[in-house]
Amino acid sequence: MQSNAPASFKRPFYLRWPFGLAVAVMIAYGVAFAMHWDDRAALWVKEGFESTAERSESVWLPDYTVDIDAKPLPEMADYEASDLTYNPSTRTLFAVMGKQPFLTELNLDGDVLRNIPLNGWANPEGVTVMDGGYLAITDERLHDLTVVKVDAATTALNHADFPSHDLGASQNGNKGYEAVVWDASKQRLVIGEERPPRLYEWKSNGQGQLTGEKTPLPSDSLDLRNLSALGIDPRTGHLLALSADSNMLLELDEQGEQVSFMTLLGGFNGLQHTIPRAEGVAMDDQGTLYMVSEPALFYRFTKG
């Protein structure tokens, strides 16, 4: 006698929960690996064991909170803010624009004071204030570093008028030498390659003259997807490494070891929204932190 009972339904193997769970775990692991969340988790645990004295001797990025959040730079949305640097002699900031090359001087509230065209540059990506009114500018497309002189009367800069230094070919031609910062305590420029993230130094007197050649620095602690910019804390000499792809700012000590980090995602450190693409970072002599993001947004962070 034939049974009229319905046959039991058997779901395809790819709908069974063990398979779905395995796929979810693999995807989560891949994302965590790509974003270096495992490294951030290890550093987060390490931060918890730092003493008050050790924290006071560092920048200690977890204590920073945004107080100017995503302020637009007027009429610059199409210019792509690429880096930022602090000038201690004037207590102002300089931002470099990459898509249409020029320097923008800002006050510490992110208001535009003046624009200086950069004639002859192709794609300036890094800028840093040195000594005596000198600035170093890296150009990712030209693979060079140019030291220029800027004062209150400067209205334009011509690439051909200043000494230019060949940085050489980068490992990834489209992701070249993007970051630069002046380390006054060691009389050197620290230069950063975007991808894979790598650091170099080039000795200088701080006033236009570079000596020797650029030499590699330990870069193993740069657990970042890319290196967008470099800053420095003038009080401790610690480097600040910014990564747009990792949404991360990383503090490195004088030995190049990780000390602390700050995520740039919305909801953290007072940020209302994730910083779209953080491309520049600077710190003043009071410890206030500044950032610029593409297309043309300004941020300021203070330590609570």
Side-chain angles (χ1 to χ4, degrees), residues 176-195:
Y177 299 98
E178 181 148 334
V180 64
V181 69
W182 171 241
D183 182 355
S185 65
K186 295 184 178 179
Q187 291 289 286
R188 65 176 183 172
L189 288 165
V190 180
I191 302 163
E193 192 172 357
E194 181 181 4
R195 188 179 292 125

mmCIF file of all heavy atoms in Angstrom, residues 176-195:
data_model
loop_
_atom_site.group_PDB
_atom_site.id
_atom_site.type_symbol
_atom_site.label_atom_id
_atom_site.label_comp_id
_atom_site.label_asym_id
_atom_site.label_seq_id
_atom_site.Cartn_x
_atom_site.Cartn_y
_atom_site.Cartn_z
ATOM 1 N N GLY A 176 53.163 55.645 -4.423
ATOM 2 C CA GLY A 176 54.558 55.971 -4.168
ATOM 3 C C GLY A 176 54.794 56.702 -2.870
ATOM 4 O O GLY A 176 54.149 56.447 -1.853
ATOM 5 N N TYR A 177 55.723 57.679 -2.918
ATOM 6 C CA TYR A 177 56.155 58.395 -1.723
ATOM 7 C C TYR A 177 55.138 59.480 -1.403
ATOM 8 O O TYR A 177 55.121 60.541 -2.010
ATOM 9 C CB TYR A 177 57.549 58.962 -1.945
ATOM 10 C CG TYR A 177 58.563 57.882 -2.213
ATOM 11 C CD1 TYR A 177 58.956 57.570 -3.514
ATOM 12 C CD2 TYR A 177 59.096 57.136 -1.166
ATOM 13 C CE1 TYR A 177 59.872 56.565 -3.758
ATOM 14 C CE2 TYR A 177 60.008 56.118 -1.402
ATOM 15 C CZ TYR A 177 60.392 55.842 -2.706
ATOM 16 O OH TYR A 177 61.284 54.825 -2.950
ATOM 17 N N GLU A 178 54.303 59.195 -0.436
ATOM 18 C CA GLU A 178 53.153 60.042 -0.176
ATOM 19 C C GLU A 178 53.304 60.884 1.084
ATOM 20 O O GLU A 178 52.653 61.905 1.227
ATOM 21 C CB GLU A 178 51.891 59.167 -0.061
ATOM 22 C CG GLU A 178 50.637 59.954 0.188
ATOM 23 C CD GLU A 178 49.408 59.322 -0.444
ATOM 24 O OE1 GLU A 178 49.557 58.602 -1.440
ATOM 25 O OE2 GLU A 178 48.305 59.576 0.058
ATOM 26 N N ALA A 179 54.152 60.477 2.019
ATOM 27 C CA ALA A 179 54.188 61.119 3.333
ATOM 28 C C ALA A 179 55.581 61.667 3.628
ATOM 29 O O ALA A 179 56.596 61.095 3.202
ATOM 30 C CB ALA A 179 53.789 60.112 4.417
ATOM 31 N N VAL A 180 55.618 62.763 4.393
ATOM 32 C CA VAL A 180 56.893 63.328 4.828
ATOM 33 C C VAL A 180 56.659 64.126 6.099
ATOM 34 O O VAL A 180 55.607 64.763 6.272
ATOM 35 C CB VAL A 180 57.512 64.222 3.719
ATOM 36 C CG1 VAL A 180 56.635 65.433 3.426
ATOM 37 C CG2 VAL A 180 58.932 64.633 4.074
ATOM 38 N N VAL A 181 57.637 64.087 7.021
ATOM 39 C CA VAL A 181 57.560 64.890 8.232
ATOM 40 C C VAL A 181 58.976 65.238 8.675
ATOM 41 O O VAL A 181 59.906 64.435 8.521
ATOM 42 C CB VAL A 181 56.791 64.157 9.358
ATOM 43 C CG1 VAL A 181 57.556 62.962 9.886
ATOM 44 C CG2 VAL A 181 56.420 65.116 10.495
ATOM 45 N N TRP A 182 59.131 66.442 9.203
ATOM 46 C CA TRP A 182 60.420 66.919 9.701
ATOM 47 C C TRP A 182 60.559 66.545 11.168
ATOM 48 O O TRP A 182 59.716 66.886 11.996
ATOM 49 C CB TRP A 182 60.550 68.424 9.519
ATOM 50 C CG TRP A 182 61.746 69.059 10.177
ATOM 51 C CD1 TRP A 182 61.731 70.020 11.143
ATOM 52 C CD2 TRP A 182 63.125 68.789 9.896
ATOM 53 N NE1 TRP A 182 63.009 70.376 11.485
ATOM 54 C CE2 TRP A 182 63.895 69.622 10.738
ATOM 55 C CE3 TRP A 182 63.785 67.916 9.035
ATOM 56 C CZ2 TRP A 182 65.284 69.625 10.733
ATOM 57 C CZ3 TRP A 182 65.179 67.904 9.032
ATOM 58 C CH2 TRP A 182 65.907 68.750 9.867
ATOM 59 N N ASP A 183 61.633 65.817 11.489
ATOM 60 C CA ASP A 183 61.947 65.414 12.855
ATOM 61 C C ASP A 183 63.113 66.288 13.322
ATOM 62 O O ASP A 183 64.279 65.977 13.088
ATOM 63 C CB ASP A 183 62.322 63.930 12.883
ATOM 64 C CG ASP A 183 62.612 63.410 14.281
ATOM 65 O OD1 ASP A 183 62.625 64.215 15.237
ATOM 66 O OD2 ASP A 183 62.841 62.190 14.429
ATOM 67 N N ALA A 184 62.772 67.399 13.985
ATOM 68 C CA ALA A 184 63.795 68.379 14.372
ATOM 69 C C ALA A 184 64.788 67.805 15.371
ATOM 70 O O ALA A 184 65.976 68.148 15.353
ATOM 71 C CB ALA A 184 63.135 69.624 14.933
ATOM 72 N N SER A 185 64.326 66.926 16.273
ATOM 73 C CA SER A 185 65.201 66.403 17.311
ATOM 74 C C SER A 185 66.320 65.551 16.737
ATOM 75 O O SER A 185 67.405 65.459 17.321
ATOM 76 C CB SER A 185 64.394 65.587 18.325
ATOM 77 O OG SER A 185 63.841 64.428 17.717
ATOM 78 N N LYS A 186 66.092 64.942 15.573
ATOM 79 C CA LYS A 186 67.103 64.081 14.949
ATOM 80 C C LYS A 186 67.620 64.664 13.642
ATOM 81 O O LYS A 186 68.380 64.012 12.933
ATOM 82 C CB LYS A 186 66.531 62.687 14.709
ATOM 83 C CG LYS A 186 66.200 61.953 16.002
ATOM 84 C CD LYS A 186 65.734 60.529 15.736
ATOM 85 C CE LYS A 186 65.462 59.801 17.055
ATOM 86 N NZ LYS A 186 64.989 58.406 16.833
ATOM 87 N N GLN A 187 67.207 65.906 13.343
ATOM 88 C CA GLN A 187 67.656 66.591 12.133
ATOM 89 C C GLN A 187 67.525 65.684 10.897
ATOM 90 O O GLN A 187 68.483 65.421 10.171
ATOM 91 C CB GLN A 187 69.105 67.061 12.294
ATOM 92 C CG GLN A 187 69.282 68.192 13.291
ATOM 93 C CD GLN A 187 68.715 69.518 12.776
ATOM 94 O OE1 GLN A 187 69.302 70.157 11.901
ATOM 95 N NE2 GLN A 187 67.575 69.929 13.302
ATOM 96 N N ARG A 188 66.295 65.269 10.657
ATOM 97 C CA ARG A 188 66.040 64.369 9.536
ATOM 98 C C ARG A 188 64.620 64.557 9.024
ATOM 99 O O ARG A 188 63.719 64.985 9.763
ATOM 100 C CB ARG A 188 66.223 62.912 9.953
ATOM 101 C CG ARG A 188 65.207 62.466 11.002
ATOM 102 C CD ARG A 188 65.328 60.993 11.353
ATOM 103 N NE ARG A 188 64.297 60.588 12.318
ATOM 104 C CZ ARG A 188 64.062 59.331 12.690
ATOM 105 N NH1 ARG A 188 64.788 58.341 12.186
ATOM 106 N NH2 ARG A 188 63.086 59.055 13.557
ATOM 107 N N LEU A 189 64.432 64.250 7.752
ATOM 108 C CA LEU A 189 63.109 64.076 7.178
ATOM 109 C C LEU A 189 62.764 62.596 7.235
ATOM 110 O O LEU A 189 63.593 61.751 6.878
ATOM 111 C CB LEU A 189 63.074 64.559 5.724
ATOM 112 C CG LEU A 189 63.135 66.071 5.501
ATOM 113 C CD1 LEU A 189 63.467 66.365 4.042
ATOM 114 C CD2 LEU A 189 61.821 66.739 5.893
ATOM 115 N N VAL A 190 61.563 62.275 7.691
ATOM 116 C CA VAL A 190 61.069 60.911 7.616
ATOM 117 C C VAL A 190 60.078 60.863 6.458
ATOM 118 O O VAL A 190 59.127 61.651 6.411
ATOM 119 C CB VAL A 190 60.394 60.466 8.929
ATOM 120 C CG1 VAL A 190 59.902 59.024 8.806
ATOM 121 C CG2 VAL A 190 61.370 60.590 10.096
ATOM 122 N N ILE A 191 60.318 59.968 5.520
ATOM 123 C CA ILE A 191 59.546 59.873 4.284
ATOM 124 C C ILE A 191 58.803 58.547 4.279
ATOM 125 O O ILE A 191 59.368 57.500 4.647
ATOM 126 C CB ILE A 191 60.469 59.989 3.054
ATOM 127 C CG1 ILE A 191 61.240 61.320 3.103
ATOM 128 C CG2 ILE A 191 59.686 59.869 1.753
ATOM 129 C CD1 ILE A 191 62.448 61.352 2.197
ATOM 130 N N GLY A 192 57.549 58.560 3.879
ATOM 131 C CA GLY A 192 56.740 57.355 3.892
ATOM 132 C C GLY A 192 56.278 56.937 2.513
ATOM 133 O O GLY A 192 55.812 57.763 1.720
ATOM 134 N N GLU A 193 56.421 55.644 2.219
ATOM 135 C CA GLU A 193 55.896 55.053 0.990
ATOM 136 C C GLU A 193 54.505 54.513 1.289
ATOM 137 O O GLU A 193 54.289 53.865 2.315
ATOM 138 C CB GLU A 193 56.821 53.940 0.509
ATOM 139 C CG GLU A 193 56.542 53.441 -0.888
ATOM 140 C CD GLU A 193 57.623 52.483 -1.379
ATOM 141 O OE1 GLU A 193 58.614 52.254 -0.654
ATOM 142 O OE2 GLU A 193 57.455 51.954 -2.493
ATOM 143 N N GLU A 194 53.556 54.777 0.377
ATOM 144 C CA GLU A 194 52.155 54.482 0.673
ATOM 145 C C GLU A 194 51.863 52.988 0.787
ATOM 146 O O GLU A 194 51.267 52.528 1.758
ATOM 147 C CB GLU A 194 51.245 55.096 -0.387
ATOM 148 C CG GLU A 194 49.768 54.845 -0.104
ATOM 149 C CD GLU A 194 48.850 55.419 -1.155
ATOM 150 O OE1 GLU A 194 49.337 55.961 -2.161
ATOM 151 O OE2 GLU A 194 47.615 55.303 -0.979
ATOM 152 N N ARG A 195 52.212 52.202 -0.234
ATOM 153 C CA ARG A 195 51.864 50.782 -0.225
ATOM 154 C C ARG A 195 52.908 49.986 -0.979
ATOM 155 O O ARG A 195 53.147 50.278 -2.146
ATOM 156 C CB ARG A 195 50.475 50.557 -0.853
ATOM 157 C CG ARG A 195 49.975 49.130 -0.700
ATOM 158 C CD ARG A 195 48.593 48.924 -1.288
ATOM 159 N NE ARG A 195 47.589 49.653 -0.524
ATOM 160 C CZ ARG A 195 46.753 50.527 -1.045
ATOM 161 N NH1 ARG A 195 46.823 50.812 -2.338
ATOM 162 N NH2 ARG A 195 45.861 51.144 -0.307
#
